[in-house]
Amino acid sequence: MGISYQMLVYLFWLILAIPATGQDECSERKCGRRGPAVRFPFKIKGRHPNHCGYPGFDISCNEKQQPVLELPDSVKLLIKKIKYKSQVIHVYDSCLPRSIRYLNISASPFNYFDSYLSNYTFFKCSDNPMSYRRVNCLESSPVDQVFSVSSNGYIYDSADTILNCSKMYDILSAPYDIVYGGPAVLQLNWIKPDCWKCESVDKRCRLLNTTSTKAEIECYGRLREKTDVGKILLITGSVLGAIIVVLLLLAFYRVHRAKRIQEENQARVEQFLEDYKAFKPARYTYNDIKTITDDFKDKLGQGGYGTVYKGKLSNEVTVAVKILINSKGDGVEFINEVATMGRIHHVNVVRLVGYCADGYRRALVYEYLPNDSLEKFIFSENGKDQSLSWEKLHSIALDIGKGIEYLHQGCEQRIVHFDIKPHNILLDQNFNPKICDFGLAKLCSKDQSAVSMTAARGTMGYIAPEVFSRNFGNASHKSDVYSFGMLLLEMVGGRKNVDVTADKTSQVFFPEWVYNKLSQGEEPVIRIGEDVDAPTARKLMIVGLWCIQWNPVDRPSMRVVVQMLEGEDDNLTLPPNPFAANNGARMNTGMPGMPFHEHHLTVISEAEESI
């Protein structure tokens, strides 16, 4: 297929490649006959003037007339493909793990297109350690072998021969596929300049003012001007033949591209699962899943990421099976949840039993929890039939807090859930809570103060202000603290925090109503007609109000939250007003207003708060 496809492409360009864009100094050029076309924002050094390219987009031609992308720290990578409309460039060399060691990607105008990044340590070994990925291109002799170990992985025991190897160096924030021996092609993308707007309407792109330091761009002309029919006839001999070839090429390209994207996405999932074998999960076929669920007979629920069914591995073992929707996508959500759950072993986090990745049909198998979600009990319409005692509510709140603290501090990498809410808290037969649904979770190092995100994630009513907009701060593990505070207040009130059916306008936003009552020395009347454990309710309310402070810096860490829930009631003080001041902020975000003053939790030491 490769030869015939290349011949068709060559014929296509032979038909259309008449010099129609003019011979201006910034016209499209190539290093060699087969290389990718180079145009703005890129420029070829020595062939284009400086103003023909955007700062940092320099390309040179090596002695073999191959295009080379010049990156910071003297890193040079061969260019395979440039996608101007999607603003992605494919680069490669003989040993990408060696090249990206020296690459300071943040100093370049590019980003890694692969969002699954991690830190890696490389070891040189004389023996072959089990369960580690070998990196052949870094080996200088057959005797010394080189292996890579992810910071997310484990060194299993003292008998592991990796302990006898010598460390070479670390690589920080590197793409998973490249380091673990995937395709030797690295995809980089760029945000600025955003010439895709010009490309999408078949226009060219250039600097608006070549003497300006702002590097602004403008669209002009056309990418390809209309060609002279006479010239086409002279080259091809037949306009009709050219049209047929173009139509065939377009049809072939669309089919070939769609198939290639599907194969790449499936290969990414398979590569991840191959590397994930070290965690020894159970892998099931789709027929196994159908057998386990009795052909999806018992549906438990449905959410934005899949449908959950009840199933049985045996007469004694009951499981919950989540069939993922949009499974023909790039597999990021599937990889995200499996990779995250594989790192978690805690009594208050749902256990992943296994998974299915049978082609494009994917599923996750979890332990079954018979009492459904916390939402069912705190928002129950029939009230006392499904109510929980105040002692149990406090125990559930404490256990959820311990589970979130484990996610933030107990794993090798910090896990930020980003979707803490009653629906994602499941209860076992003894009403012990377990956190579930890690499809939106993000992994980051414990010393990382902010989590990078391309868009807001979570559920309305529980999302922290900084997740909505970076104007309110950076998203971090403190965003989970905010969501947990909202959950605590709903547990106390037995109702949604925002209640448009409330009799009094002052009670529409429950947390603010609670704060106003407490600050005036009154005990809020909650759950009318029900015996309320006032000290427990007051503790949960005060801790919840500390957690929903508008500024992330003013919120306690989950470790401190757990200490507050375990401590004596008399040691708790009412926090500063989270709702004082900006009503406009609340109207724009659906959240309480932003305080103008800064404050600190008096019962928390600076050392604890820095965790």
Side-chain angles (χ1 to χ4, degrees):
M1 179 183 294
I3 296 175
S4 59
Y5 177 72
Q6 290 176 356
M7 290 177 62
L8 285 172
V9 172
Y10 180 76
L11 179 57
F12 172 69
W13 287 114
L14 182 65
I15 294 169
L16 297 181
I18 299 172
T21 58
Q23 298 301 318
D24 63 278
E25 56 187 0
C26 295
S27 61
E28 190 176 89
R29 286 180 169 83
K30 294 184 178 182
C31 280
R33 183 170 60 89
R34 295 186 177 181
V38 178
R39 61 176 180 265
F40 191 91
F42 297 94
K43 72 174 185 294
I44 300 178
K45 295 175 66 175
R47 302 189 186 183
H48 284 127
N50 283 337
H51 68 267
C52 291
Y54 202 80
F57 285 75
D58 291 337
I59 291 176
S60 59
C61 301
N62 64 13
E63 63 278 0
K64 295 182 180 180
Q65 293 304 299
Q66 297 171 304
V68 177
L69 180 63
E70 299 186 0
L71 295 168
D73 301 316
S74 300
V75 175
K76 296 184 178 182
L77 297 173
L78 294 171
I79 300 173
K80 182 172 183 163
K81 186 185 300 183
I82 303 176
K83 298 180 178 179
Y84 290 93
K85 284 189 178 181
S86 55
Q87 303 204 157
V88 175
I89 181 170
H90 295 203
V91 293
Y92 68 100
D93 72 358
S94 58
C95 188
L96 278 173
R98 180 185 294 116
S99 298
I100 61 176
R101 173 192 175 189
Y102 303 101
L103 176 57
N104 180 10
I105 193 69
S106 62
S108 75
F110 301 98
N111 298 303
Y112 290 123
F113 188 69
D114 185 353
S115 60
Y116 192 80
L117 306 177
S118 188
N119 302 330
Y120 299 89
T121 301
F122 291 83
F123 293 88
K124 183 177 291 186
C125 309
S126 55
D127 295 323
N128 187 355
M130 298 176 63
S131 304
Y132 298 101
R133 180 69 63 177
R134 185 173 176 180
V135 186
N136 296 319
C137 71
L138 292 177
E139 297 172 359
S140 57
S141 69
V143 177
D144 292 324
Q145 304 174 48
V146 176
F147 295 85
S148 63
V149 178
S150 169
S151 60
N152 302 331
Y154 298 91
I155 295 179
Y156 298 94
D157 55 48
S158 58
D160 197 329
T161 55
I162 196 70
L163 298 174
N164 300 322
C165 300
S166 60
K167 177 180 175 180
M168 297 172 63
Y169 49 78
D170 297 319
I171 294 182
L172 303 179
S173 297
Y176 178 92
D177 288 344
I178 300 303
V179 175
Y180 269 1
V185 176
L186 179 63
Q187 296 188 53
L188 304 174
N189 71 317
W190 68 91
I191 304 300
K192 287 187 177 181
D194 50 349
C195 285
W196 64 269
K197 297 177 181 178
C198 303
E199 298 270 346
S200 62
V201 293
D202 199 32
K203 289 184 177 293
R204 302 172 69 185
C205 187
R206 67 184 175 189
L207 289 171
L208 179 60
N209 188 341
T210 57
T211 60
S212 173
T213 58
K214 294 184 178 181
E216 297 176 327
I217 62 165
E218 66 174 352
C219 302
Y220 74 104
R222 297 188 65 83
L223 282 176
R224 295 180 182 86
E225 303 294 344
K226 295 181 178 180
T227 57
D228 185 0
V229 176
K231 292 182 179 180
I232 296 178
L233 290 174
L234 292 174
I235 297 174
T236 65
S238 172
V239 174
L240 180 61
I243 295 175
I244 294 174
V245 169
V246 171
L247 292 176
L248 289 174
L249 247 179
L250 290 175
F252 177 83
Y253 173 74
R254 293 187 63 180
V255 174
H256 178 74
R257 181 174 180 272
K259 182 179 179 181
R260 187 182 74 251
I261 291 174
Q262 290 183 357
E263 290 174 349
E264 288 176 353
N265 292 335
Q266 183 63 16
R268 179 189 299 174
V269 172
E270 289 298 332
Q271 180 65 48
F272 163 75
L273 295 177
E274 180 68 23
D275 296 323
Y276 187 71
K277 283 182 179 179
F279 295 111
K280 302 188 184 303
R283 181 168 183 173
Y284 301 100
T285 65
Y286 189 69
N287 286 333
D288 292 335
I289 296 297
K290 292 175 65 177
T291 301
I292 291 171
T293 60
D294 193 13
D295 280 331
F296 312 108
K297 181 179 179 180
D298 192 352
K299 182 178 177 180
L300 297 177
Q302 185 165 350
Y305 298 98
T307 305
V308 182
Y309 298 90
K310 186 176 180 180
K312 283 191 174 184
L313 296 181
S314 66
N315 290 332
E316 295 80 21
V317 181
T318 305
V319 293
V321 180
K322 179 163 72 171
I323 307 297
L324 299 182
I325 60 176
N326 297 326
S327 57
K328 289 188 179 181
D330 56 13
V332 170
E333 290 168 4
F334 175 76
I335 291 175
N336 193 37
E337 185 144 3
V338 175
T340 304
M341 296 299 290
R343 294 168 172 81
I344 302 174
H345 303 282
H346 192 270
V347 66
N348 297 122
V349 179
V350 171
R351 181 170 63 90
L352 179 67
V353 177
Y355 60 86
C356 168
D358 197 344
Y360 298 108
R361 292 177 290 197
R362 297 166 193 155
L364 299 167
V365 183
Y366 295 102
E367 62 176 314
Y368 174 71
L369 300 175
N371 279 321
D372 209 337
S373 72
L374 179 62
E375 181 180 49
K376 168 184 171 183
F377 291 89
I378 62 176
F379 301 145
S380 173
E381 293 182 0
N382 54 358
K384 294 185 178 180
D385 291 346
Q386 294 183 333
S387 63
L388 298 169
S389 69
W390 284 95
E391 180 182 2
K392 192 60 184 178
L393 283 174
H394 178 267
S395 174
I396 289 173
L398 180 58
D399 286 344
I400 296 170
K402 290 179 178 179
I404 301 174
E405 180 196 0
Y406 170 80
L407 298 178
H408 292 179
Q409 295 294 331
C411 304
E412 288 191 12
Q413 278 195 305
R414 174 174 288 152
I415 300 171
V416 185
H417 190 280
F418 279 118
D419 203 17
I420 299 295
K421 60 182 179 180
H423 181 76
N424 287 338
I425 307 298
L426 302 182
L427 302 174
D428 67 10
Q429 64 274 15
N430 297 317
F431 291 92
N432 297 315
K434 293 178 182 283
I435 304 168
C436 70
D437 200 341
F438 286 78
L440 298 182
K442 295 275 284 187
L443 276 69
C444 62
S445 61
K446 293 179 183 178
D447 58 357
Q448 189 173 332
S449 60
V451 179
S452 61
M453 295 194 309
T454 56
R457 53 179 62 200
T459 302
M460 288 295 295
Y462 306 92
I463 306 176
E466 66 271 14
V467 179
F468 264 102
S469 171
R470 300 302 172 267
N471 293 331
F472 303 128
N474 292 318
S476 68
H477 62 290
K478 291 295 187 72
S479 304
D480 280 352
V481 177
Y482 184 95
S483 302
F484 179 69
M486 284 297 189
L487 183 147
L488 285 182
L489 292 167
E490 290 189 339
M491 291 175 65
V492 173
R495 45 169 280 182
K496 292 285 187 181
N497 283 327
V498 178
D499 186 3
V500 296
T501 65
D503 296 333
K504 298 181 180 179
T505 305
S506 60
Q507 297 182 23
V508 170
F509 187 62
F510 182 66
E512 186 172 9
W513 178 76
V514 166
Y515 183 87
N516 291 337
K517 290 291 184 181
L518 291 175
S519 64
Q520 295 167 11
E522 303 178 22
E523 291 294 336
V525 179
I526 53 178
R527 303 196 183 190
I528 298 174
E530 179 182 333
D531 292 333
V532 177
D533 182 350
T536 298
R538 188 175 190 276
K539 174 187 280 190
L540 295 179
M541 285 188 289
I542 291 177
V543 175
L545 290 170
W546 273 114
C547 292
I548 64 170
Q549 292 294 304
W550 191 274
N551 192 332
V553 177
D554 296 331
R555 299 172 205 153
S557 66
M558 283 308 304
R559 176 176 297 178
V560 174
V561 170
V562 170
Q563 292 172 355
M564 294 168 71
L565 291 171
E566 290 177 328
E568 297 296 330
D569 300 347
D570 296 339
N571 294 332
L572 287 177
T573 59
L574 191 65
N577 188 355
F579 318 108
N582 196 340
N583 290 328
R586 188 190 313 175
M587 293 175 63
N588 293 332
T589 65
M591 295 185 172
M594 177 176 62
F596 289 126
H597 58 280
E598 295 185 357
H599 44 262
H600 298 278
L601 181 57
T602 56
V603 296
I604 303 172
S605 69
E606 292 183 2
E608 288 173 324
E609 183 58 31
S610 65
I611 296 175

